[in-house]
Amino acid sequence: MIIGWADLETVMTLRVMAFSAPQFIVGAAGDRSLSSGDPASMFNACRVAAAAADRPGTAWSRSNWASGRRSRRSTTKLFHDLPGAIETLDATLPVLQPNLVLIGAMSICMPGAVACAEIVRAHLGDDVLIVLGGRHATETMWVDKRSGAVQHHRASPLRLIADERISNVFDIVVSGDGEDAIRELGEIVEETIDAGGRARDSRMRLERLSAAAGEFVAGTVISGHIALVSGKAGALSMNMLPAPAEMFGVGARFDVLGNLPTAHVFSDVGRGCIYDCAFCSERISVTGAPRAFASSADRLHERLLAAARTVAEDYPGEDGASAFVEDSTLLGWNAKLVDRFESLVEQAPHGVRVGGQATIDQILARPDIAHQLSRCGLEYVFIGVETPEPGSVGGFSKDIGARHGNWLDRAARAFDILEQADIKIGVSLLFGLGEGWRERDALLGALATWRRNASVRTVSMNWAVQHPLCGQDGGLGYEYLDWALDPGPLLDVMRHFGEASTRYTISGGTAPELNEAIDIVSRVDAVMERKPLELEKSDG
């Protein structure tokens, strides 16, 4: 039996809502962008707390998340634009009356995070603790490896509050491993309320967060001063982290994987990528080295089994399950790990149709791995091609095979390998790096050839956006307080890009203009045999 919110109000102290902040000031993501229907990063961050809801004696077991994954899912949202967020918040907050609201945000979502936090505060006042985490928090507040001191980027939410650039809408900001910190925050909120305080008073117990495991820094601003605390309970155990799919269910469906329910699966090998490309927020110098590489194959296998179980339970009429592996590169395309994974799959087949990511040079270096993983259920590989001449724009650390041919020729050879392994291909293109029309023509011309000669099924268009990168932003120092794109015709086109901005261009890069954006989308549409883009006038 699922207990309704109204029933739970009489028996619980902790009431939780979580959401990913909107990227657009108006309008949803375009149908040409590759976006999931699930707030995968939020599910990932909240999974330890969700698991605690299944353990008697915890604050979470007495919360609105205690009645199963359907209930958790109903209060964990992915917002695309501000009007949609306002509508949902205005409808949900008066009924649920959460006293813990968790917000995740990328940097270009910061205006949306601020706006949503203001709405939550207007509805609930001091009876809610508002917590911000996610990529933006992690890239703007970090521990210096040499000095051990906490550093703040100009766009650090705590610094912006202390400097009165924004109002004090975020009671606590968490940077880094938030999984166990979120669990502990729920315990603190319940303790504060049981002691006669209001939920926002929980920030005065910030020191309690040091009991949480993981590498994180959390802070609050009180009377204009920033107070900080870090985890002292040791590292998170990657092998003990629950599967997000089992905690929150599966709502996405990827066409390229048969339109079956598609779980987002993490092997938890680390926070980011093994490469250090300058334009990427997953670069190793920002996210840190892999932390549990050797056991990642075992975790991946377990998470795929969990995805299969979850889909079978929640979608009994479906003909199987699919999953996209969110590792920056699937098992690092490492022969030893793939051997281990194949052995596990042979012992216990997962039956899941799998997608994942790899780099061009990884595939070329070990083409046999493509065939191995195909036997293990891999049907789709998403590859970042980005630009036709990595050397001309700089900062492409994954361009490690330059002596074996130019980038586009190597991409074609990698695609041939995947084609021979019966693996479909997705391609990520990146513009705004400072390239000219000649380079774009070469890239889009190559795309047309790949589409004819290989199983290129999906294309993601992105416009390079500068991230804070723990200070490695070329001194640009953006505050990220303005929307990345203003309403108007350009937004109507750029919503079909996965990420884009006219304000937050990278150093040496360019901002998109309407005519070139339309040209890029039109040419990609022609290659992918889609109907031409029909522009609709944005509201506002």
PDB file of all heavy atoms in Angstrom, residues 22 48 66 76 125 127 144-145 147 159 183 185 225 242 274 299 308 316 332 367 388 424:
ATOM      1  N   PRO A  22      16.082  24.150 -13.622  1.00  0.00           N
ATOM      2  CA  PRO A  22      15.848  24.316 -15.067  1.00  0.00           C
ATOM      3  C   PRO A  22      16.992  25.025 -15.775  1.00  0.00           C
ATOM      4  O   PRO A  22      17.629  25.919 -15.229  1.00  0.00           O
ATOM      5  CB  PRO A  22      14.564  25.156 -15.115  1.00  0.00           C
ATOM      6  CG  PRO A  22      14.542  25.899 -13.820  1.00  0.00           C
ATOM      7  CD  PRO A  22      15.158  24.976 -12.811  1.00  0.00           C
ATOM      8  N   VAL A  48      21.666   7.010  -1.355  1.00  0.00           N
ATOM      9  CA  VAL A  48      21.964   6.541  -0.001  1.00  0.00           C
ATOM     10  C   VAL A  48      20.831   6.916   0.948  1.00  0.00           C
ATOM     11  O   VAL A  48      20.424   6.126   1.803  1.00  0.00           O
ATOM     12  CB  VAL A  48      23.313   7.110   0.486  1.00  0.00           C
ATOM     13  CG1 VAL A  48      23.544   6.792   1.967  1.00  0.00           C
ATOM     14  CG2 VAL A  48      24.457   6.536  -0.349  1.00  0.00           C
ATOM     15  N   ALA A  66       9.529   6.802   2.553  1.00  0.00           N
ATOM     16  CA  ALA A  66       9.542   5.471   3.150  1.00  0.00           C
ATOM     17  C   ALA A  66       8.573   4.507   2.487  1.00  0.00           C
ATOM     18  O   ALA A  66       8.603   3.314   2.781  1.00  0.00           O
ATOM     19  CB  ALA A  66       9.235   5.562   4.641  1.00  0.00           C
ATOM     20  N   THR A  76      10.745  13.700  -6.870  1.00  0.00           N
ATOM     21  CA  THR A  76      12.076  13.966  -7.419  1.00  0.00           C
ATOM     22  C   THR A  76      11.895  14.353  -8.875  1.00  0.00           C
ATOM     23  O   THR A  76      11.503  13.525  -9.699  1.00  0.00           O
ATOM     24  CB  THR A  76      12.982  12.732  -7.288  1.00  0.00           C
ATOM     25  OG1 THR A  76      12.977  12.276  -5.937  1.00  0.00           O
ATOM     26  CG2 THR A  76      14.408  13.070  -7.698  1.00  0.00           C
ATOM     27  N   GLY A 125       8.939  29.587   3.942  1.00  0.00           N
ATOM     28  CA  GLY A 125       9.658  30.380   4.933  1.00  0.00           C
ATOM     29  C   GLY A 125      10.770  29.605   5.614  1.00  0.00           C
ATOM     30  O   GLY A 125      11.544  28.893   4.961  1.00  0.00           O
ATOM     31  N   ASP A 127      10.417  27.116   7.518  1.00  0.00           N
ATOM     32  CA  ASP A 127      10.028  25.731   7.782  1.00  0.00           C
ATOM     33  C   ASP A 127      10.595  24.767   6.752  1.00  0.00           C
ATOM     34  O   ASP A 127      10.131  23.625   6.634  1.00  0.00           O
ATOM     35  CB  ASP A 127       8.499  25.605   7.814  1.00  0.00           C
ATOM     36  CG  ASP A 127       7.906  26.268   9.048  1.00  0.00           C
ATOM     37  OD1 ASP A 127       8.544  26.182  10.124  1.00  0.00           O
ATOM     38  OD2 ASP A 127       6.835  26.886   8.936  1.00  0.00           O
ATOM     39  N   ASP A 144      41.923  22.905  -2.029  1.00  0.00           N
ATOM     40  CA  ASP A 144      43.198  22.988  -2.730  1.00  0.00           C
ATOM     41  C   ASP A 144      44.085  21.812  -2.318  1.00  0.00           C
ATOM     42  O   ASP A 144      44.291  21.550  -1.126  1.00  0.00           O
ATOM     43  CB  ASP A 144      43.903  24.304  -2.396  1.00  0.00           C
ATOM     44  CG  ASP A 144      45.206  24.455  -3.143  1.00  0.00           C
ATOM     45  OD1 ASP A 144      45.170  24.842  -4.323  1.00  0.00           O
ATOM     46  OD2 ASP A 144      46.266  24.177  -2.539  1.00  0.00           O
ATOM     47  N   LYS A 145      44.596  21.082  -3.306  1.00  0.00           N
ATOM     48  CA  LYS A 145      45.352  19.867  -3.011  1.00  0.00           C
ATOM     49  C   LYS A 145      46.664  20.144  -2.289  1.00  0.00           C
ATOM     50  O   LYS A 145      47.161  19.294  -1.540  1.00  0.00           O
ATOM     51  CB  LYS A 145      45.618  19.109  -4.315  1.00  0.00           C
ATOM     52  CG  LYS A 145      44.344  18.591  -4.975  1.00  0.00           C
ATOM     53  CD  LYS A 145      44.643  17.911  -6.302  1.00  0.00           C
ATOM     54  CE  LYS A 145      43.360  17.421  -6.959  1.00  0.00           C
ATOM     55  NZ  LYS A 145      43.607  16.799  -8.287  1.00  0.00           N
ATOM     56  N   SER A 147      47.492  23.152  -0.300  1.00  0.00           N
ATOM     57  CA  SER A 147      47.350  23.806   0.999  1.00  0.00           C
ATOM     58  C   SER A 147      46.322  23.148   1.904  1.00  0.00           C
ATOM     59  O   SER A 147      46.358  23.315   3.122  1.00  0.00           O
ATOM     60  CB  SER A 147      46.985  25.281   0.808  1.00  0.00           C
ATOM     61  OG  SER A 147      45.676  25.398   0.263  1.00  0.00           O
ATOM     62  N   ARG A 159      29.819  32.299  -1.662  1.00  0.00           N
ATOM     63  CA  ARG A 159      30.468  33.603  -1.826  1.00  0.00           C
ATOM     64  C   ARG A 159      29.487  34.630  -2.371  1.00  0.00           C
ATOM     65  O   ARG A 159      29.476  35.789  -1.929  1.00  0.00           O
ATOM     66  CB  ARG A 159      31.673  33.462  -2.759  1.00  0.00           C
ATOM     67  CG  ARG A 159      32.390  34.770  -3.020  1.00  0.00           C
ATOM     68  CD  ARG A 159      33.652  34.567  -3.828  1.00  0.00           C
ATOM     69  NE  ARG A 159      34.214  35.833  -4.283  1.00  0.00           N
ATOM     70  CZ  ARG A 159      35.328  35.940  -4.988  1.00  0.00           C
ATOM     71  NH1 ARG A 159      36.011  34.862  -5.321  1.00  0.00           N
ATOM     72  NH2 ARG A 159      35.772  37.122  -5.364  1.00  0.00           N
ATOM     73  N   ARG A 183      21.932  11.972   3.308  1.00  0.00           N
ATOM     74  CA  ARG A 183      21.323  11.106   4.331  1.00  0.00           C
ATOM     75  C   ARG A 183      21.420  11.752   5.706  1.00  0.00           C
ATOM     76  O   ARG A 183      20.451  11.805   6.472  1.00  0.00           O
ATOM     77  CB  ARG A 183      22.009   9.738   4.334  1.00  0.00           C
ATOM     78  CG  ARG A 183      21.480   8.789   5.404  1.00  0.00           C
ATOM     79  CD  ARG A 183      22.492   7.726   5.762  1.00  0.00           C
ATOM     80  NE  ARG A 183      23.752   8.274   6.219  1.00  0.00           N
ATOM     81  CZ  ARG A 183      23.965   8.788   7.430  1.00  0.00           C
ATOM     82  NH1 ARG A 183      22.977   8.844   8.319  1.00  0.00           N
ATOM     83  NH2 ARG A 183      25.162   9.265   7.760  1.00  0.00           N
ATOM     84  N   LEU A 185      21.788  14.896   6.438  1.00  0.00           N
ATOM     85  CA  LEU A 185      20.974  16.106   6.516  1.00  0.00           C
ATOM     86  C   LEU A 185      19.539  15.785   6.938  1.00  0.00           C
ATOM     87  O   LEU A 185      18.926  16.534   7.706  1.00  0.00           O
ATOM     88  CB  LEU A 185      20.964  16.823   5.165  1.00  0.00           C
ATOM     89  CG  LEU A 185      22.180  17.692   4.858  1.00  0.00           C
ATOM     90  CD1 LEU A 185      22.200  18.075   3.386  1.00  0.00           C
ATOM     91  CD2 LEU A 185      22.193  18.930   5.740  1.00  0.00           C
ATOM     92  N   HIS A 225      28.910  35.679   7.114  1.00  0.00           N
ATOM     93  CA  HIS A 225      30.155  34.905   7.196  1.00  0.00           C
ATOM     94  C   HIS A 225      29.914  33.461   6.759  1.00  0.00           C
ATOM     95  O   HIS A 225      28.883  32.862   7.076  1.00  0.00           O
ATOM     96  CB  HIS A 225      30.708  34.932   8.621  1.00  0.00           C
ATOM     97  CG  HIS A 225      31.070  36.305   9.098  1.00  0.00           C
ATOM     98  ND1 HIS A 225      32.188  36.973   8.662  1.00  0.00           N
ATOM     99  CD2 HIS A 225      30.436  37.147   9.957  1.00  0.00           C
ATOM    100  CE1 HIS A 225      32.247  38.170   9.239  1.00  0.00           C
ATOM    101  NE2 HIS A 225      31.190  38.304  10.034  1.00  0.00           N
ATOM    102  N   PRO A 242      23.897   1.869  -3.227  1.00  0.00           N
ATOM    103  CA  PRO A 242      22.772   1.181  -3.875  1.00  0.00           C
ATOM    104  C   PRO A 242      22.598   1.619  -5.316  1.00  0.00           C
ATOM    105  O   PRO A 242      23.108   2.665  -5.747  1.00  0.00           O
ATOM    106  CB  PRO A 242      21.572   1.599  -3.012  1.00  0.00           C
ATOM    107  CG  PRO A 242      21.961   2.908  -2.419  1.00  0.00           C
ATOM    108  CD  PRO A 242      23.438   2.851  -2.210  1.00  0.00           C
ATOM    109  N   ILE A 274      38.935   9.878 -17.365  1.00  0.00           N
ATOM    110  CA  ILE A 274      40.371   9.639 -17.189  1.00  0.00           C
ATOM    111  C   ILE A 274      41.204  10.602 -18.027  1.00  0.00           C
ATOM    112  O   ILE A 274      42.428  10.664 -17.876  1.00  0.00           O
ATOM    113  CB  ILE A 274      40.740   8.192 -17.543  1.00  0.00           C
ATOM    114  CG1 ILE A 274      40.352   7.873 -18.987  1.00  0.00           C
ATOM    115  CG2 ILE A 274      40.080   7.222 -16.573  1.00  0.00           C
ATOM    116  CD1 ILE A 274      40.808   6.499 -19.463  1.00  0.00           C
ATOM    117  N   ARG A 299      30.633  -3.998 -10.064  1.00  0.00           N
ATOM    118  CA  ARG A 299      29.530  -3.077  -9.780  1.00  0.00           C
ATOM    119  C   ARG A 299      28.640  -2.885 -11.007  1.00  0.00           C
ATOM    120  O   ARG A 299      27.418  -2.836 -10.894  1.00  0.00           O
ATOM    121  CB  ARG A 299      30.062  -1.728  -9.299  1.00  0.00           C
ATOM    122  CG  ARG A 299      30.612  -1.774  -7.876  1.00  0.00           C
ATOM    123  CD  ARG A 299      30.859  -0.359  -7.356  1.00  0.00           C
ATOM    124  NE  ARG A 299      31.788   0.375  -8.202  1.00  0.00           N
ATOM    125  CZ  ARG A 299      33.112   0.286  -8.125  1.00  0.00           C
ATOM    126  NH1 ARG A 299      33.670  -0.528  -7.234  1.00  0.00           N
ATOM    127  NH2 ARG A 299      33.896   0.991  -8.917  1.00  0.00           N
ATOM    128  N   ALA A 308      17.452  -4.722 -14.483  1.00  0.00           N
ATOM    129  CA  ALA A 308      16.559  -5.748 -15.015  1.00  0.00           C
ATOM    130  C   ALA A 308      15.470  -6.104 -14.013  1.00  0.00           C
ATOM    131  O   ALA A 308      14.286  -6.234 -14.377  1.00  0.00           O
ATOM    132  CB  ALA A 308      17.363  -6.992 -15.391  1.00  0.00           C
ATOM    133  N   PRO A 316       5.743  -5.042 -15.867  1.00  0.00           N
ATOM    134  CA  PRO A 316       5.626  -6.484 -16.128  1.00  0.00           C
ATOM    135  C   PRO A 316       5.259  -6.821 -17.568  1.00  0.00           C
ATOM    136  O   PRO A 316       5.521  -7.927 -18.025  1.00  0.00           O
ATOM    137  CB  PRO A 316       4.526  -6.933 -15.156  1.00  0.00           C
ATOM    138  CG  PRO A 316       3.776  -5.678 -14.801  1.00  0.00           C
ATOM    139  CD  PRO A 316       4.776  -4.579 -14.843  1.00  0.00           C
ATOM    140  N   GLY A 332      36.435   2.000 -18.777  1.00  0.00           N
ATOM    141  CA  GLY A 332      37.723   2.526 -19.211  1.00  0.00           C
ATOM    142  C   GLY A 332      38.240   1.881 -20.480  1.00  0.00           C
ATOM    143  O   GLY A 332      39.389   2.087 -20.864  1.00  0.00           O
ATOM    144  N   PRO A 367      40.273  -2.989 -30.697  1.00  0.00           N
ATOM    145  CA  PRO A 367      39.018  -3.299 -31.392  1.00  0.00           C
ATOM    146  C   PRO A 367      38.363  -4.576 -30.892  1.00  0.00           C
ATOM    147  O   PRO A 367      37.146  -4.737 -31.008  1.00  0.00           O
ATOM    148  CB  PRO A 367      39.454  -3.428 -32.855  1.00  0.00           C
ATOM    149  CG  PRO A 367      40.923  -3.655 -32.826  1.00  0.00           C
ATOM    150  CD  PRO A 367      41.433  -2.946 -31.622  1.00  0.00           C
ATOM    151  N   PRO A 388      36.732  18.784 -36.036  1.00  0.00           N
ATOM    152  CA  PRO A 388      37.523  18.029 -37.022  1.00  0.00           C
ATOM    153  C   PRO A 388      39.028  18.075 -36.794  1.00  0.00           C
ATOM    154  O   PRO A 388      39.740  17.176 -37.226  1.00  0.00           O
ATOM    155  CB  PRO A 388      37.153  18.692 -38.348  1.00  0.00           C
ATOM    156  CG  PRO A 388      36.778  20.080 -37.974  1.00  0.00           C
ATOM    157  CD  PRO A 388      36.109  19.964 -36.639  1.00  0.00           C
ATOM    158  N   LYS A 424      25.553  -0.022 -32.654  1.00  0.00           N
ATOM    159  CA  LYS A 424      25.095   1.251 -33.206  1.00  0.00           C
ATOM    160  C   LYS A 424      25.908   2.401 -32.605  1.00  0.00           C
ATOM    161  O   LYS A 424      26.507   2.259 -31.540  1.00  0.00           O
ATOM    162  CB  LYS A 424      23.604   1.437 -32.928  1.00  0.00           C
ATOM    163  CG  LYS A 424      22.728   0.373 -33.591  1.00  0.00           C
ATOM    164  CD  LYS A 424      21.252   0.618 -33.344  1.00  0.00           C
ATOM    165  CE  LYS A 424      20.838   0.264 -31.912  1.00  0.00           C
ATOM    166  NZ  LYS A 424      20.880  -1.184 -31.661  1.00  0.00           N
TER     167      LYS A 424
END
